[in-house]
Amino acid sequence: MTTVTQHRLRGRPAHPAGPTFLTYTPNGRKLITAGSNNVIRVYTTGSDGEPTNIDDCQENNTAVAASNEFFITGSEDGTVCMYSLETNHYEKMLTRCSLPIRDIALSPDGHWAAVASDELTVKIVNTGDTDSILFLRDQPKPTKHLSFHPSGSYLAASCTDGTVYLYSLGTEQPQLVRKVDGVIRALETDAEPSSKAIWHPDGRAFAAPTATRDIAVVSRGDGERQRSFSGGHMGDITALTWSPNGALLMTAGADRKILLWETQTQKVLARYDYANVINLVWHPHENMASFATSDGEVYIYADFVTSEFAPLLEKTLQPAPFIHDPLGETSGNARRPIANGAKDILDVRSRRRGTPDSLDEILGSEGEGGEEDDFVVDDDGAGYALGVNGFGKRSNGHLGNTDGVDPKRRATYQTWSPRIHQSFQPGSTPWRGNRKYLCLNLIGFVWTVDQDTHHTVTVEFYDREYHRDFHFTDPYLYDKACLSMVKIFTDIGATNHAQMKTVHCFLVLRQTATLPWCSTVLMKPGLLGQIGELSYQPEKMLLATISLSDSFIFVTTTTNYVRVYTLYGTPFRVYRQKSSPTVTCASWRDYVLTMGNGPVGADGSTKLLYTIENVRHDEVCQSEDVVALEDGTEIKSVFFSDTGDPCIYDSTGVLLILQHWRTPGQARWVPLLDTKLLDRLASGRKEETYWPVAVALEKFHCIILKGGDKYPYFPRPLLSEFDFKIPVASAEPRKEDTEDALPKDGPRLEESFVRSSLNLSLMEDLLSATTATHAQRADLARQEIEVDKVLLQLLNVECRDGEERGMKALEIVSLMKDRTGKMMEAAGKVAGRYGRTVLEDKIRELAERRLLDQTHLDLDFITLSENHDATHDDRSDVYQRSEDKIINYAITTENVTTGVPLWPQYRPFDLLPSTSIAGGSPEPYGMPEANAFFVNTPFSHGQHIGNVAPIAFAAMSGSVNVIETTPPTPGHHSVNNSPRFPCLHPGCLRTFGRPADLDRHFKKHIPDAARFYCEEAGCKFNGKPFYRRDKLVNHQRNMHG
């Protein structure tokens, strides 16, 4: 801290003792002062003469603001008057209030004047049209100070209730953007201490005095406190102002001191002893400051900043002091220099030498100049006498512009660059004050707090019954984290999956350009230990994004490398991403999705490209495909759903999922939800956005953001979930309260059909690429039924609308995926309910035709074997039991060869034994006629006959005969009245009492079926296969310990 020991300036008596106010014009030529008398003084900058006095004004002036053409004053009688600086005379009265005026702020363009008084309402008056007035009415108490944003698009109002109100002026009516509490004191409007919020010149933050005699910097974007200027004043702060470039801050206090602060370090540079200072202003362009005291004196201080710190004023616009400045953080997207831009000339380049017989070489050093090199005197300024440069040539600086490019526009030609997508970490938020979320998903969240010398990291889980939250001190300043479920070995001796434990682990990395290495630590809840460590030499490479799956760790860098590590830190693969600069990455199991910037579009922005790769199998599913975004749209988050499908959420509020992404070249982005079309926003009275968290259980999990927030903050908000709603129509149909609105169910059901079909397609893709479990196969069957149910409801709507909708109704039935005939029968009943007899007949015909088509399709899958005649075996056990009459299509052939049925598309226990043959009578386990197999249909003369799968188990050629049979009767079954399930493989005569036993047995006839062998030496089962892994494990446990 420095105390300036210059000679003390003498104040200029301007007004009687009392509050005195002053302001510079934007061009700095005039200084206007107003006080408690009815005289306004106008000082000319740089002149020591007497100021110009304006006498025709109000008394007890309480505020003054100026533009280059006029200035405005407010007084205790509530009048706001405008005066001309050209004529120094009164022009007009802008407005009038019933109570004293307390402050006036003029917009940067001079078109609007904001007026604060002891009234509760703030007026914003148009200086050109006094009838045009805007009102700010959100303050519960009078406003003490006003301040316009440097752009004029915001207004900060310091209210006497201790709250700063931020208004947006970008709309027709001012909108309250944010209330900032806990910064300024609650002061009366006539109190001498100040609570004014002054905008930093860069417009990203404002500074305001606090109750602790400090100056707090508050971010405009989120309203959070950033850096503070503390420990300077011993009394209340009465005035404060930024320097024109924002590099310095000047404050005055009741401790009789004026302090000069450096913005970047928040340190006091100089201290000036002046008492009773209540107003301060910087000159807009020069090293000059002026201030006024409560004694009515005005000080004009030239060279206010000493020569030691004067260079700070000569700098360009400086950034506001943030704790974590978004402009200073590395984004990982450093732009390359323009290829055809200006190049730096290397001074170390040697001068060009002449040829061996050149004149310069013959004459030697004397020919290169010497003392007579400057014998020509440039007496006419033509420039021909200029000296040679470092290359032995004369410069062309005297010729001016030689390339035809206007020097004023040269920078424009050389500095154009495309707009690129900035890199981001999914689930992470920017710094807000001294806090940020490192990771936020359905498992839990990780957040860190900047404690200046270190960080403190907290990991919390939603399931606290199974996991314990933990907290640790972070001296390495981690700035990226991932939280995921991974499987780790519980001990070194673990050798199989039964001895592995699933835990929630998270990965934290730090990004630094100063340390020679970076570390990665994988933490386990409850153990808080280090599992693996990743280290590499970054040099000029910084981490861009990270991702953690249950198989690998993925790291992308600013040099566009993708580094793959195992969960224990072993490097697995390194490659360079094709699209650059890199944007983000996400992972699921063995798959990783990377995004980067691609070619530049017509709007000057780069296209976003993505690649999906199976790292373990070294297969690329999608290569450099385009992310489906609207023009001018940014991507907000990338993640995988709980079923492993890539999802993105963009800045327009649309959630998209990637369909058919496992098939190269077939992927497409399908919108799952448009949040702008949610019912909660239909009234138009809610303004909220959504922070994406996850897609799970067929719902969109997110955090609702209100008040213009873009990111979640503390305390941790609750999660919300929304059902998917694919935007099939551009606008949602309006709902009515009457029964006439029932036909409006059509659009809702159409959306439901598209959505259920999409879910079915995603499930089919998953099961085709993985080993399906029984639960997954059951879920697939359930989703097929859901699709048919929706179509059945749509059919009901079409039948209700009238006979003319019959074609669409039949089309809806044809879209059904029913393989059993149950839904077809229900569709016929729906048509019959509404008396649509023609449609009912068409549906019956469609059902029978589909049954025959399915039969032929099944037969096509059979592999024929040569010279193998059909025999009379236990296939006669195939039967179907029903209470109604049934029709069996007995497929008879002559001299037919049989083969192996496709397995397990149709399993043999899907058919039950038939008890009747053509032209015969029922008999238990009767032999059907040779080479006859039965396939049933769900219709018999228009009646339901049961839920039977249309399956055929033999390949044959010949005619198909329809044979009417009767259902079996009780007592015509086996001895114990329980059916047996036969193996239909040619030559195999075994039967089984359970379908599961038959399913396991049939794998013996499939060459590609999985087999598991016991490798224990001397085991009697050595060489004999087990067809289930758990059977092998049980055998090893029981037989070999």
Side-chain angles (χ1 to χ4, degrees):
M1 187 185 307
T2 303
T3 300
V4 177
T5 57
Q6 293 184 4
H7 65 280
R8 181 178 176 84
L9 289 179
R10 295 183 57 184
R12 303 187 184 190
H15 305 279
T20 305
F21 306 89
L22 73 169
T23 184
Y24 275 106
T25 58
N27 56 21
R29 297 177 181 178
K30 304 288 184 179
L31 175 68
I32 299 99
T33 65
S36 57
N37 59 351
N38 62 347
V39 176
I40 298 175
R41 295 182 179 270
V42 180
Y43 295 85
T44 301
T45 302
S47 174
D48 293 333
E50 288 294 323
T52 301
N53 295 332
I54 302 177
D55 299 330
D56 54 343
C57 61
Q58 305 295 324
E59 293 186 358
N60 297 324
N61 294 295
T62 56
V64 62
S67 69
N68 291 330
E69 293 80 19
F70 59 87
F71 65 90
I72 302 171
T73 62
S75 60
E76 286 191 353
D77 62 0
T79 58
V80 178
C81 302
M82 178 188 292
Y83 298 84
S84 172
L85 283 174
E86 183 178 357
T87 62
N88 293 327
H89 285 87
Y90 170 85
E91 283 193 353
K92 60 182 176 181
M93 183 174 67
L94 290 182
T95 187
R96 182 165 186 151
C97 301
S98 59
L99 295 176
I101 304 299
R102 295 304 175 186
D103 197 12
I104 297 176
L106 198 61
S107 63
D109 57 8
H111 295 165
W112 296 92
V115 179
S117 66
D118 285 348
E119 297 178 355
L120 300 182
T121 302
V122 174
K123 297 180 180 180
I124 304 179
V125 186
N126 190 302
T127 56
D129 181 10
T130 57
D131 293 332
S132 178
I133 303 178
L134 305 177
F135 298 94
L136 310 180
R137 296 188 172 93
D138 293 283
Q139 309 82 237
K141 290 186 177 182
T143 300
K144 181 176 175 62
H145 298 290
L146 297 171
S147 178
F148 267 101
H149 188 268
S151 66
S153 56
Y154 294 92
L155 180 68
S158 301
C159 187
T160 54
D161 65 349
T163 303
V164 178
Y165 293 81
L166 298 184
Y167 289 91
S168 173
L169 306 179
T171 57
E172 184 177 354
Q173 292 296 327
Q175 300 292 329
L176 179 63
V177 175
R178 182 170 288 103
K179 298 179 183 179
V180 182
D181 298 325
V183 177
I184 63 174
R185 295 171 55 188
L187 299 173
E188 295 299 328
T189 54
D190 57 351
E192 189 170 282
S194 175
S195 61
K196 187 171 186 176
I198 58 170
W199 290 98
H200 189 273
D202 72 352
R204 298 184 300 145
F206 63 84
T210 66
T212 58
R213 300 168 182 175
D214 300 331
I215 297 94
V217 178
V218 180
S219 171
R220 174 182 60 84
D222 52 27
E224 293 299 319
R225 296 180 62 164
Q226 302 296 325
R227 301 292 183 182
S228 62
F229 299 79
S230 58
H233 287 283
M234 302 301 294
D236 293 333
I237 297 175
T238 56
L240 69 165
T241 182
W242 294 102
S243 64
N245 65 346
L248 299 172
L249 175 68
M250 180 170 53
T251 62
D255 56 355
R256 308 170 66 90
K257 302 293 183 181
I258 295 178
L259 300 184
L260 183 66
W261 307 75
E262 184 180 6
T263 300
Q264 183 177 5
T265 61
Q266 301 90 52
K267 298 294 182 63
V268 176
L269 301 180
R271 183 187 297 268
Y272 304 83
D273 296 327
Y274 289 95
N276 303 325
V277 177
I278 58 175
N279 278 288
L280 293 168
V281 289
W282 282 95
H283 190 279
H285 309 295
E286 299 180 8
N287 183 7
M288 180 183 297
S290 299
F291 45 91
T293 67
S294 58
D295 298 329
E297 294 182 328
V298 173
Y299 293 82
I300 302 176
Y301 204 138
D303 297 329
F304 178 77
V305 180
T306 59
S307 58
E308 180 181 0
F309 306 112
L312 293 174
L313 280 177
E314 299 174 359
K315 292 184 177 181
T316 57
L317 181 64
Q318 298 297 298
F322 281 75
I323 295 178
H324 292 275
D325 192 350
L327 297 180
E329 293 183 351
T330 303
S331 65
N333 291 324
R335 300 182 180 181
R336 299 176 175 82
I338 304 302
N340 58 351
K343 300 180 180 179
D344 297 332
I345 298 176
L346 300 179
D347 295 335
V348 297
R349 174 179 151 191
S350 59
R351 64 188 297 269
R352 188 179 64 184
R353 298 184 59 85
T355 58
D357 57 348
S358 65
L359 182 62
D360 291 339
E361 290 296 326
I362 295 174
L363 297 179
S365 60
E366 294 182 358
E368 294 184 6
E371 296 181 357
E372 297 184 4
D373 195 30
D374 295 331
F375 73 97
V376 179
V377 178
D378 187 9
D379 53 357
D380 58 358
Y384 49 79
L386 296 176
V388 297
N389 56 22
F391 306 120
K393 303 295 181 181
R394 297 188 184 276
S395 66
N396 65 346
H398 63 285
L399 299 179
N401 182 22
T402 60
D403 57 2
V405 179
D406 187 355
K408 295 181 179 179
R409 300 186 178 181
R410 187 183 303 274
T412 304
Y413 295 147
Q414 295 181 353
T415 58
W416 180 88
S417 58
R419 295 188 299 272
I420 63 175
H421 297 269
Q422 301 296 326
S423 66
F424 67 93
Q425 176 68 32
S428 176
T429 65
W431 285 99
R432 185 170 176 180
N434 63 341
R435 298 174 180 235
K436 70 174 294 186
Y437 285 104
L438 296 178
C439 179
L440 203 159
N441 56 26
L442 279 185
I443 299 174
F445 51 95
V446 184
W447 53 281
T448 183
V449 180
D450 188 349
Q451 306 289 356
D452 291 337
T453 59
H454 63 278
H455 290 181
T456 55
V457 179
T458 303
V459 182
E460 298 186 19
F461 298 93
Y462 290 108
D463 188 0
R464 296 186 177 179
E465 294 182 358
Y466 184 70
H467 300 286
R468 178 176 61 87
D469 302 341
F470 58 93
H471 175 86
F472 64 93
T473 301
D474 169 26
Y476 300 108
L477 310 182
Y478 292 117
D479 68 344
K480 289 178 175 60
C482 288
L483 189 61
S484 178
M485 254 190 347
V486 301
K487 293 182 178 180
I488 65 169
F489 288 100
T490 56
D491 58 83
I492 300 300
T495 58
N496 54 60
H497 291 280
Q499 294 174 281
M500 297 183 70
K501 181 180 180 182
T502 300
V503 299
H504 288 132
C505 296
F506 79 95
L507 176 76
V508 289
L509 292 93
R510 78 170 174 273
Q511 171 177 294
T512 175
T514 57
L515 297 178
W517 56 273
C518 295
S519 70
T520 302
V521 183
L522 191 63
M523 313 295 290
K524 297 188 299 181
L527 299 181
L528 199 61
Q530 176 173 306
I531 296 180
E533 181 172 333
L534 317 178
S535 61
Y536 60 90
Q537 298 292 334
E539 299 178 355
K540 296 182 180 180
M541 177 172 56
L542 297 177
L543 300 178
T545 58
I546 63 173
S547 182
L548 172 65
S549 71
D550 56 1
S551 304
F552 295 99
I553 301 171
F554 303 92
V555 179
T556 63
T557 67
T558 56
T559 54
N560 304 316
Y561 281 110
V562 179
R563 297 176 177 268
V564 185
Y565 300 88
T566 65
L567 294 180
Y568 289 85
T570 303
F572 187 79
R573 184 167 293 131
V574 179
Y575 60 93
R576 173 161 281 178
Q577 188 175 340
K578 296 180 182 178
S579 54
S580 63
T582 183
V583 176
T584 189
C585 69
S587 60
W588 179 75
R589 294 184 181 176
D590 298 336
Y591 295 94
V592 58
L593 182 149
T594 58
M595 285 190 179
N597 289 274
V600 180
D603 60 348
S605 300
T606 58
K607 298 293 184 181
L608 198 58
L609 305 181
Y610 73 95
T611 298
I612 302 179
E613 178 183 0
N614 188 317
V615 176
R616 188 177 299 277
H617 296 162
D618 199 15
E619 297 176 352
V620 176
C621 300
Q622 303 296 325
S623 178
E624 301 302 312
D625 197 4
V626 178
V627 180
L629 296 176
E630 296 181 11
D631 292 339
T633 303
E634 297 180 355
I635 189 168
K636 291 298 183 182
S637 186
V638 180
F639 50 88
F640 280 83
S641 67
D642 59 338
T643 56
D645 295 305
C647 302
I648 62 173
Y649 187 80
D650 61 26
S651 57
T652 62
V654 178
L655 174 69
L656 299 103
I657 193 168
L658 192 60
Q659 185 184 17
H660 304 317
W661 58 271
R662 294 177 178 87
T663 305
Q666 299 299 316
R668 58 187 176 194
W669 293 98
V670 180
L672 279 179
L673 177 67
D674 189 347
T675 57
K676 299 189 300 297
L677 302 179
L678 290 176
D679 294 338
R680 58 187 292 124
L681 302 179
S683 62
R685 290 176 292 182
K686 284 187 177 181
E687 293 185 4
E688 60 187 28
T689 56
Y690 307 93
W691 172 261
V693 175
V695 168
L697 302 177
E698 299 184 4
K699 292 183 182 293
F700 175 50
H701 300 264
C702 62
I703 295 174
I704 299 177
L705 304 177
K706 298 183 178 180
D709 290 339
K710 295 182 179 180
Y711 307 98
Y713 193 58
F714 301 89
R716 177 177 55 86
L718 299 177
L719 290 181
S720 301
E721 59 183 32
F722 297 102
D723 293 327
F724 297 150
K725 191 173 184 180
I726 296 179
V728 176
S730 58
E732 184 72 14
R734 189 179 63 178
K735 296 181 179 180
E736 303 290 345
D737 297 330
T738 62
E739 295 183 356
D740 296 338
L742 290 177
K744 297 298 182 181
D745 290 339
R748 177 182 61 82
L749 293 174
E750 290 172 353
E751 185 277 332
S752 180
F753 167 67
V754 175
R755 174 163 40 85
S756 56
S757 299
L758 173 64
N759 292 335
L760 178 61
S761 173
L762 296 176
M763 178 59 69
E764 289 175 345
D765 291 346
L766 175 63
L767 298 190
S768 64
T770 59
T771 302
T773 63
H774 175 71
Q776 288 176 327
R777 290 196 297 266
D779 187 52
L780 179 63
R782 179 190 62 81
Q783 292 192 21
E784 289 181 348
I785 295 175
E786 289 297 325
V787 173
D788 288 348
K789 283 183 178 179
V790 175
L791 289 173
L792 203 60
Q793 293 175 334
L794 269 174
L795 175 65
N796 182 73
V797 173
E798 298 301 326
C799 291
R800 186 180 57 200
D801 287 349
E803 188 73 30
E804 66 277 2
R805 309 295 292 270
M807 294 300 296
K808 183 176 181 181
L810 185 61
E811 180 189 49
I812 291 174
V813 176
S814 66
L815 294 176
M816 289 184 176
K817 301 181 179 295
D818 178 35
R819 297 178 181 176
T820 65
K822 190 173 183 179
M823 288 295 177
M824 287 287 187
E825 179 222 357
K829 288 184 177 181
V830 170
R833 174 187 176 186
Y834 290 95
R836 312 289 186 248
T837 55
V838 176
L839 177 61
E840 185 179 4
D841 295 340
K842 293 292 184 182
I843 293 176
R844 183 180 299 108
E845 294 175 5
L846 177 63
E848 295 175 354
R849 185 168 60 252
R850 176 175 293 188
L851 179 61
L852 290 177
D853 293 342
Q854 184 66 46
T855 300
H856 293 306
L857 179 63
D858 295 333
L859 299 179
D860 290 341
F861 285 140
I862 300 174
T863 304
L864 298 177
S865 59
E866 297 181 1
N867 301 324
H868 185 81
D869 295 335
T871 60
H872 296 183
D873 53 24
D874 285 348
R875 296 185 186 89
S876 60
D877 291 340
V878 179
Y879 75 96
Q880 167 64 41
R881 190 161 45 163
S882 175
E883 296 179 356
D884 302 322
K885 293 179 62 179
I886 64 174
I887 292 180
N888 285 336
Y889 288 98
I891 307 175
T892 60
T893 62
E894 297 178 357
N895 299 325
V896 181
T897 59
T898 61
V900 180
L902 179 66
W903 193 265
Q905 173 140 1
Y906 296 115
R907 299 186 295 182
F909 52 78
D910 287 332
L911 283 181
L912 299 179
S914 174
T915 61
S916 175
I917 60 175
S921 61
E923 55 179 321
Y925 296 96
M927 296 291 295
E929 69 177 70
N931 307 326
F933 298 91
F934 299 93
V935 180
N936 52 55
T937 175
F939 286 95
S940 177
H941 304 293
Q943 297 180 358
H944 175 52
I945 55 126
N947 181 9
V948 184
I951 305 172
F953 293 95
M956 55 203 70
S957 62
S959 61
V960 178
N961 301 326
V962 179
I963 307 171
E964 184 173 329
T965 63
T966 59
T969 58
H972 288 178
H973 301 161
S974 61
V975 176
N976 57 1
N977 218 21
S978 298
R980 301 285 294 177
F981 301 95
C983 176
L984 300 184
H985 188 273
C988 183
L989 304 179
R990 297 194 59 182
T991 61
F992 301 88
R994 294 193 313 156
D997 296 335
L998 174 59
D999 195 2
R1000 183 169 62 254
H1001 160 77
F1002 200 83
K1003 293 180 180 178
K1004 295 181 179 180
H1005 304 304
I1006 302 177
D1008 296 334
R1011 292 172 170 81
F1012 307 93
Y1013 296 90
C1014 178
E1015 299 178 356
E1016 189 72 22
C1019 179
K1020 65 179 181 178
F1021 289 95
N1022 195 351
K1024 295 182 179 180
F1026 293 87
Y1027 294 96
R1028 288 171 51 182
R1029 182 190 297 273
D1030 59 326
K1031 295 297 182 181
L1032 174 62
V1033 173
N1034 292 337
H1035 163 75
Q1036 292 176 337
R1037 184 185 298 110
N1038 298 331
M1039 301 296 296
H1040 309 299

